[in-house]
């Protein structure tokens, strides 16, 4: 933005030595990442073409005053922003996490309109099931929601969840309240 200035009794003039670069983050409203896997946050907005830094903060912490000291390694540490994009790997799950952003020459600020969930599924480590009988498996999870599904993968060399569900092992099943 260019500053226009009018001295008393004079016409408006452009103050060419004074300008403001406008930065605005407009989205996304939420980001879901999976603990232990590299994820990319792609911020949307105006003026995000350059570089900067970001870090995740725990739920309820909306202050970025601590700067780099608040960049928790378990939440991905200090992230390099490039054109509004930052890749990170969080090892600790959490919901309602916030993002602090800092651009060169500016103080850090919290993106109050963006919420991050680092999702994970944990325990029990082992459940027994009888072939041919439906078995309910309860587990602890962060970040589950409508539309989530799960399936069982027979272990072994070369087994991968990327191969998709095996109908012989029950196929993909809906997740209900984390179970």
């Amino acid at each position: 933005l260019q500053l226009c200035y009018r001295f008393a009794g004079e016409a408006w003039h452009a103050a060419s030595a004074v300008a403001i670069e406008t930065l605005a983050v407009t989205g996304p409203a939420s980001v879901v990442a999976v603990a232990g896997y590299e994820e990319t946050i792609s911020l949307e907005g105006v003026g995000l073409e350059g570089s900067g830094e970001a870090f995740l903060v725990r739920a309820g912490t909306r202050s970025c005053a601590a700067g780099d000291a608040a960049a928790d390694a378990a939440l991905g540490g200090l992230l390099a922003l490039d054109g509004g994009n930052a890749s990170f790997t969080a090892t600790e799950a959490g919901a309602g996490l916030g993002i602090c952003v800092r651009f060169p020459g500016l103080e850090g600020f919290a993106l109050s309109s963006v919420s991050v969930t680092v999702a994970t599924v944990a325990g029990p480590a082992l459940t027994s099931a009888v072939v041919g009988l439906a078995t309910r498996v309860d587990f602890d999870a962060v970040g589950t929601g409508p539309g989530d599904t799960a399936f069982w993968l027979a272990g072994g060399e070369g087994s991968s969840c990327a191969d998709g569900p095996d109908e012989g092992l029950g196929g993909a099943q809906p997740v209900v309240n984390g179970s």
Side-chain angles (χ1 to χ4, degrees), residues 7-107:
F7 292 97
E10 297 294 320
W12 287 101
H13 294 279
S16 58
V18 181
I20 296 176
E21 179 183 12
T22 305
L23 303 170
V25 177
T26 58
S30 65
V31 175
V32 176
V34 178
Y37 292 88
E38 183 175 72
E39 301 287 345
T40 299
I41 294 176
S42 296
L43 300 177
E44 302 161 0
V46 176
L48 304 178
E49 297 80 18
S51 62
E53 297 173 325
F55 56 91
L56 301 180
V57 292
R58 298 188 190 288
T61 305
R62 293 293 184 217
S63 172
C64 299
D68 296 356
D72 190 332
L75 298 178
L78 189 61
L79 316 176
L81 273 174
D82 183 15
N85 298 310
S87 295
F88 70 102
T89 302
T91 57
E92 184 177 303
L97 303 176
I99 303 176
C100 289
V101 176
R102 182 175 54 223
F103 292 101
L106 299 174
E107 291 290 321

Side-chain angles (χ1 to χ4, degrees), residues 24 77 164 169 175:
L169 294 174
V175 174

